[in-house]
């Protein structure tokens, strides 16, 4: 360390941190900065003593509880309350008590990216540093530190027990509130352990059996928590339950660390635990007001469950053979026919010149009823498929090596998805035009005028122009809504399971008298299977129907374009103009409809698979290998992307390519 620092005895630890921090910022010195700075201190006896003295002085004069029991452990304020608190603390930080170790810790590591260089220093370097400066420690200081750690251990056990017997947790784990609950047992054992430790001069050896018993109780508590994770498909998940499950899990992890710190006689292991805690604390304190971290941590499990429910629904949108392929085409024809009627209804609503709110309301009702009818009749809306099937793709990735043949399987699944999407798009678009065209002809025959006047008809055609209108941005916005509708479907399916609506319906006395038990059971089963999809379709209709009104209110050019509606609107426009449109308009409209469909699919699938991959913590290398293999298949077997073919040579080459990709 610089000689200039030797005379400065005010804050040696702060100076050390500042030097390492500055070396870290100087990227060219990152490789050797840590060992060089830490090693130079160990060569200077005076510096070692001054730094050691300051650290021990801080430890001996502060309380450990807040840092050891709260840092990197979620609060029990609730998801939204905690987010609100973090946001307010960003602008007006809370008052910190000077006698808390956590406050002194924050003062030393006061740059928001300090955790990066602290983590980058290898554990071995930290261990050598600690062993070098803490050679002879005052027994009274050691005794004080042990007492503070015991206090933290007691509090952690009590909090874990309290959270472990919360009513919402108890309802998911059988017998967890009994007297033999591992959470209550853990609390009893820890109280006994702490009392014995405080009254013993050598509790590290005398309390060894108690320590082992506590570890068994911790393992049993973790098993109860794992039960919730493993059975989330049975009873669902919520933000509140996610928070309640994560907190005892974090308490138990910290409890095990502190217990081992006191019990182990291996000095290397002791310093390793301290190093791990140091890295955890610095990261936690640097990011304690981070909203991004808060949302990412708490939404991960809920997102996984929502995505998982969407995945189950998405499996029905993928055709695996010719029979299923043409069956999907038939369903797409049915969905396109219904959309053609929705186009006619919306156009007639336009001519009612309703106030903006009521226009948006009836547009939304029109769309929502139509989409739910498509679902009830078993038809399909093509561009909803990517949002519903992205999680199915993500579920087939390697999953940390658990799916050894994942690349071949996932590539084949993507190929089936692409051709299923293709035939569904073709079915929707092909039928929507003639049905809408014929609907307008029938309307004219019955009432003597067309659904759209010439001005509206030309406007409908102009909105399809990919070059001179906002058709593509509006199609991208529709893709976002399609993705959201998929997530909403999963959310409400999870909500139905979590709140046990099926059981509540089947045991409702008035409904039993009204429908009878057998019929009520069928109704409950139907809603359990379809409630999520109906909710997703309803909200999709609201999104599509209200966007234009919101844009008008805000003075923004907001609207949506969807391939099936574009085809239906084009049919109405052509019929309303008595087929009097030029070849250029025909060509531009067909190109525009195609581009709208492509944009719908790309955005909805791209966003959906991003959510799905995030929920499963998929590796970038896996995604890269997947799309590389997919590109190879497209150039060698392009027909399979549009039509189901049986080709033994293709299957052989696919397996060979999979092997090559793995080696790469």
């Amino acid at each position: 360390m610089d000689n200039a620092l030797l005379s400065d005895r005010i804050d040696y630890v702060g100076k050390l941190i500042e030097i390492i921090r500055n070396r870290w910022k100087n990227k060219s010195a990152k490789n050797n900065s840590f060992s060089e700075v830490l090693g130079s201190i160990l060569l200077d006896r005076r510096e070692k003593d001054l730094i050691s003295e300051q650290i021990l002085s801080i430890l001996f004069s502060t309380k450990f509880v807040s840092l050891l029991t709260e840092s990197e452990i979620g609060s029990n304020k609730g998801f939204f309350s905690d987010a609100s608190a973090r946001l307010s603390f960003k602008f007006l930080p809370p008052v910190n008590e000077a006698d808390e170790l956590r406050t002194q810790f924050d003062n030393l590591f006061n740059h928001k990216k300090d955790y990066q260089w602290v983590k980058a220093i290898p554990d071995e370097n930290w261990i050598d540093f600690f062993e070098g400066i803490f050679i002879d420690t005052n027994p009274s200081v050691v005794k004080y530190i042990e007492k503070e750690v015991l206090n933290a251990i007691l509090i952690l056990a009590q909090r874990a027990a309290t959270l472990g017997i919360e009513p919402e947790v108890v309802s998911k784990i059988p017998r967890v509130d009994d007297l033999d609950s591992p959470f209550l047992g853990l609390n009893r054992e820890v109280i006994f352990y702490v009392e014995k430790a405080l009254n013993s001069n050598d509790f590290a050896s005398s309390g060894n059996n108690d320590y082992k018993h506590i570890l068994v109780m911790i393992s049993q508590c973790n098993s109860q928590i794992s039960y919730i994770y493993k059975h989330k498909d049975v009873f669902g998940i919520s933000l509140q339950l996610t928070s309640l499950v994560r907190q005892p899990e974090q308490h138990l992890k910290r409890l095990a660390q502190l217990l081992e710190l006191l019990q182990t006689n291996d000095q290397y292991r002791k310093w390793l635990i301290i190093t791990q805690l140091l890295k955890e604390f610095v990261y936690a304190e640097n990011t304690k007001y981070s909203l991004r971290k808060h949302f990412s941590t708490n939404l991960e499990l809920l997102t996984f469950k929502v995505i998982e429910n969407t995945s189950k629904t998405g499996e029905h949108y993928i055709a695996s053979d010719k029979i299923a392929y043409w069956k999907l085409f038939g369903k797409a024809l049915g969905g396109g026919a219904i959309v053609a009627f929705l186009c006619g209804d919306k156009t007639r609503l336009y001519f009612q010149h309703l106030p903006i709110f009521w226009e948006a309301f009836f547009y939304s009702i029109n769309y929502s009823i139509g989409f739910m009818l498509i679902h009830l009749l078993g038809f399909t809306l093509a561009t909803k498929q990517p949002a519903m099937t992205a999680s199915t793709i993500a579920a087939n990735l390697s999953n940390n090596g658990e799916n050894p043949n994942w690349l071949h399987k996932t590539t084949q699944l993507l190929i089936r998805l692409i051709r299923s999407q293709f035939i569904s798009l073709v079915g929707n678009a092909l039928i929507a035009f003639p049905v809408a065209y014929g609907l307008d002809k029938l309307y004219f025959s019955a009432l003597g005028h067309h659904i759209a006047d010439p001005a509206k008809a030309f406007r409908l055609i102009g909105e399809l122009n990919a070059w001179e209108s906002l058709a593509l941005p509006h199609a991208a916005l529709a893709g976002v809504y399609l993705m959201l509708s998929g997530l909403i479907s999963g959310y409400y399916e999870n909500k139905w399971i979590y709140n046990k609506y099926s059981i509540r319906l089947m045991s409702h006395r008035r409904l039993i008298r009204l429908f009878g038990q057998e019929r009520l059971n069928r109704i409950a089963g139907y809603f359990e299977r379809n409630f999520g999809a109906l909710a997703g379709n309803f909200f999709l209709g609201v999104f599509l129907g209200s966007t234009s009104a919101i844009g008008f209110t805000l003075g923004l050019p907001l609207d949506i374009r969807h391939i099936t509606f574009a085809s239906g609107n084009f049919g109405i426009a052509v019929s309303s103009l008595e087929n009097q449109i030029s070849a250029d308009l025909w060509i531009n409209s067909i190109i525009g409809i195609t581009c709208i469909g492509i944009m719908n699919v790309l955005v909805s699938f791209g966003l959906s698979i991003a959510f799905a991959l995030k929920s499963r913590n998929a590796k970038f290398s896996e995604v890269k290998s997947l799309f590389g293999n997919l590109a190879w298949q497209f150039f060698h077997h392009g027909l399979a992307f549009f039509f189901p073919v049986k080709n033994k040579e293709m299957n052989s080459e696919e397996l060979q390519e999979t092997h090559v990709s793995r080696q790469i």
Side-chain angles (χ1 to χ4, degrees):
M1 195 174 291
D2 296 340
N3 292 332
L5 294 176
L6 296 176
S7 61
D8 188 353
R9 303 171 66 101
I10 298 175
D11 186 9
Y12 268 82
V13 178
K15 294 291 185 181
L16 169 64
I17 291 173
E18 185 178 352
I19 288 174
I20 300 178
R21 183 189 295 132
N22 291 334
R23 292 287 187 94
W24 169 258
K25 291 179 180 178
N26 182 11
K27 297 183 179 180
S28 61
K30 280 186 180 181
N31 293 332
N32 58 8
S33 59
F34 310 132
S35 57
E36 181 182 332
V37 174
L38 297 179
S40 66
I41 294 172
L42 299 179
L43 296 175
D44 192 312
R45 177 68 178 271
R46 182 165 177 254
E47 289 192 50
K48 285 197 301 181
D49 291 343
L50 289 169
I51 291 174
S52 175
E53 180 184 347
Q54 183 182 347
I55 294 174
L56 292 175
S57 175
I58 292 173
L59 294 175
F60 192 62
S61 60
T62 55
K63 300 175 183 177
F64 292 19
V65 172
S66 178
L67 182 67
L68 296 183
T69 64
E70 297 175 12
S71 185
E72 194 58 359
I73 294 177
S75 71
N76 56 1
K77 296 178 182 178
F79 179 81
F80 293 105
S81 297
D82 194 15
S84 176
R86 286 172 181 254
L87 183 61
S88 65
F89 290 156
K90 275 180 173 288
F91 299 100
L92 190 63
V95 177
N96 296 318
E97 299 296 333
D99 61 346
E100 287 285 349
L101 178 58
R102 192 175 188 179
T103 302
Q104 301 300 324
F105 200 87
D106 287 345
N107 292 336
L108 290 172
F109 299 96
N110 54 8
H111 286 221
K112 64 180 182 179
K113 292 188 178 180
D114 277 343
Y115 71 90
Q116 294 180 349
W117 62 261
V118 171
K119 184 179 180 181
I121 298 178
D123 291 346
E124 291 74 16
N125 286 17
W126 279 118
I127 293 171
D128 292 341
F129 174 72
F130 290 138
E131 288 180 335
I133 65 172
F134 297 113
I135 299 174
D136 296 317
T137 306
N138 190 318
S140 61
V141 175
V142 174
K143 194 70 176 177
Y144 177 81
I145 293 173
E146 290 174 348
K147 185 178 179 181
E148 287 295 305
V149 173
L150 285 170
N151 192 17
I153 287 173
L154 185 62
I155 291 174
L156 286 167
Q158 290 175 341
R159 290 179 179 173
T162 301
L163 292 166
I165 58 174
E166 279 281 334
E168 193 157 1
V169 176
V170 170
S171 66
K172 310 303 177 188
I173 304 176
R175 299 188 344 135
V176 76
D177 58 340
D178 292 351
L179 289 177
D180 59 349
S181 162
F183 291 100
L184 296 177
L186 172 65
N187 190 39
R188 290 193 296 266
E189 292 297 327
V190 168
I191 291 174
F192 179 74
Y193 172 86
V194 171
E195 289 178 349
K196 189 173 181 179
L198 292 174
N199 297 320
S200 173
N201 293 325
D202 187 18
F203 67 89
S205 57
S206 63
N208 193 47
N209 290 332
D210 298 327
Y211 167 64
K212 291 179 179 178
H213 195 192
I214 291 174
L215 291 183
V216 172
M217 301 304 296
I218 290 175
S219 176
Q220 291 177 5
C221 291
N222 282 322
S223 296
Q224 297 281 20
I225 294 172
S226 298
Y227 180 88
I228 294 180
Y229 285 125
K230 292 178 181 178
H231 294 81
K232 58 186 177 293
D233 57 327
V234 177
F235 45 71
I237 202 76
S238 71
L239 285 173
Q240 184 178 0
L241 183 60
T242 300
S243 178
L244 288 174
V245 168
R246 286 192 180 279
Q247 285 183 64
E249 190 177 32
Q250 293 165 336
H251 284 99
L252 294 172
K253 177 186 175 184
R254 181 66 50 78
L255 178 61
Q257 287 176 309
L258 297 182
L259 284 167
E260 186 180 2
L261 182 62
L262 291 181
Q263 286 295 136
T264 184
N265 292 319
D266 184 348
Q267 289 300 313
Y268 180 86
R269 181 62 186 168
K270 190 184 292 285
W271 290 121
L272 178 60
I273 295 170
I274 291 174
T275 298
Q276 292 171 345
L277 289 172
L278 171 68
K279 293 183 176 183
E280 288 181 21
F281 292 153
V282 175
Y283 173 74
E285 295 306 302
N286 287 168
T287 59
K288 62 183 177 182
Y289 302 140
S290 170
L291 288 173
R292 180 179 181 181
K293 175 187 172 185
H294 174 68
F295 282 98
S296 176
T297 302
N298 287 279
L299 291 177
E300 182 178 337
L301 185 61
L302 179 62
T303 302
F304 179 85
K305 180 56 189 167
V306 169
I307 292 291
E308 192 72 9
N309 283 328
T310 307
S311 174
K312 294 176 183 177
T313 307
E315 294 170 358
H316 302 295
Y317 287 92
I318 301 177
S320 57
D321 52 35
K322 286 186 178 181
I323 296 175
Y325 181 82
W326 291 114
K327 186 176 181 180
L328 194 58
F329 178 69
K331 292 181 177 181
L333 291 177
I338 291 177
V339 168
F341 282 90
L342 300 183
C343 292
D345 288 341
K346 184 187 175 184
T347 305
R348 288 316 307 161
L349 284 170
Y350 169 81
F351 286 105
Q352 302 303 312
H353 301 296
L354 299 170
I356 191 67
F357 171 82
W358 292 110
E359 183 177 77
F361 175 80
F362 285 111
Y363 280 180
S364 300
I365 293 297
N366 176 55
Y367 283 137
S368 295
I369 292 176
F371 294 151
M372 288 191 290
L373 184 61
I374 289 173
H375 174 77
L376 291 172
L377 296 178
F379 299 146
T380 63
L381 188 65
T383 49
K384 278 202 69 180
Q385 289 174 271
M388 304 301 289
T389 52
S391 49
T392 307
I393 300 296
N396 279 268
L397 295 179
S398 73
N399 196 18
N400 295 321
E402 292 184 12
N403 300 330
N405 198 27
W406 69 271
L407 186 55
H408 172 69
K409 291 180 179 179
T410 310
T411 301
Q412 293 306 303
L413 185 63
L414 265 173
I415 292 173
R416 292 198 298 271
L417 168 63
I418 291 171
R419 67 171 173 247
S420 299
Q421 180 62 38
F422 168 75
I423 196 60
S424 297
L425 283 169
V426 171
N428 278 171
L430 278 181
I431 198 66
F433 177 87
V435 171
Y437 184 93
L439 179 64
D440 182 75
K441 292 298 184 185
L442 290 174
Y443 190 91
F444 181 80
S445 299
L447 301 177
H449 60 87
H450 293 285
I451 294 176
D453 60 20
K456 178 63 175 177
F458 278 114
R459 182 179 173 183
L460 291 174
I461 294 174
E463 290 172 347
L464 305 179
N465 194 306
W467 330 112
E468 298 178 1
S469 72
L470 295 175
L472 296 185
H474 290 162
L477 183 57
V480 174
Y481 291 152
L482 290 162
M483 180 275 297
L484 289 176
S485 72
L487 290 180
I488 290 171
S489 294
Y491 171 79
Y492 276 98
E493 185 172 340
N494 170 73
K495 189 176 181 67
W496 184 277
I497 296 171
Y498 182 80
N499 291 313
K500 302 179 180 178
Y501 285 132
S502 293
I503 298 175
R504 291 159 66 178
L505 277 177
M506 290 186 290
S507 58
H508 196 288
R509 294 180 180 178
R510 292 184 180 179
L511 293 179
I512 292 173
R513 288 196 298 267
L514 181 63
F515 296 104
Q517 188 65 65
E518 185 177 349
R519 183 178 297 176
L520 184 59
N521 290 348
R522 289 199 301 269
I523 293 173
Y526 177 84
F527 276 105
E528 183 173 346
R529 295 187 301 272
N530 295 277
F531 183 73
L534 291 172
N537 282 304
F538 174 80
F539 280 101
L540 177 61
V542 173
F543 293 151
L544 299 186
S546 59
T547 297
S548 179
I550 293 173
F552 177 82
T553 303
L554 299 177
L556 298 174
L558 298 180
D559 209 340
I560 59 94
R561 295 289 177 268
H562 185 277
I563 180 173
T564 315
F565 286 92
S567 177
N569 287 335
F570 186 50
I572 290 174
V574 171
S575 177
S576 297
L577 294 174
E578 301 288 349
N579 303 326
Q580 300 299 314
I581 62 172
S582 64
D584 289 343
L585 287 180
W586 272 99
I587 294 172
N588 284 334
S589 297
I590 293 173
I591 292 174
I593 292 170
T594 304
C595 291
I596 288 170
I598 294 173
M599 184 63 73
N600 289 157
V601 173
L602 288 178
V603 174
S604 62
F605 182 73
L607 293 176
S608 299
I609 202 168
F611 271 91
L613 293 173
K614 172 66 176 175
S615 73
R616 291 180 176 272
N617 295 317
K619 298 177 182 177
F620 176 76
S621 58
E622 294 179 354
V623 180
K624 184 178 178 181
S625 298
L626 175 62
F627 284 102
N629 202 27
L630 191 68
W632 187 94
Q633 296 292 345
F634 182 79
F635 285 110
H636 289 79
H637 308 287
L639 182 62
F641 283 72
F642 304 99
F643 189 80
V645 294
K646 291 184 178 181
N647 190 334
K648 294 182 180 180
E649 180 182 354
M650 174 185 168
N651 293 333
S652 173
E653 290 179 358
E654 286 169 351
L655 290 171
Q656 181 181 1
E657 179 63 13
T658 300
H659 178 69
V660 172
S661 297
R662 278 196 204 146
Q663 290 180 330
I664 294 173

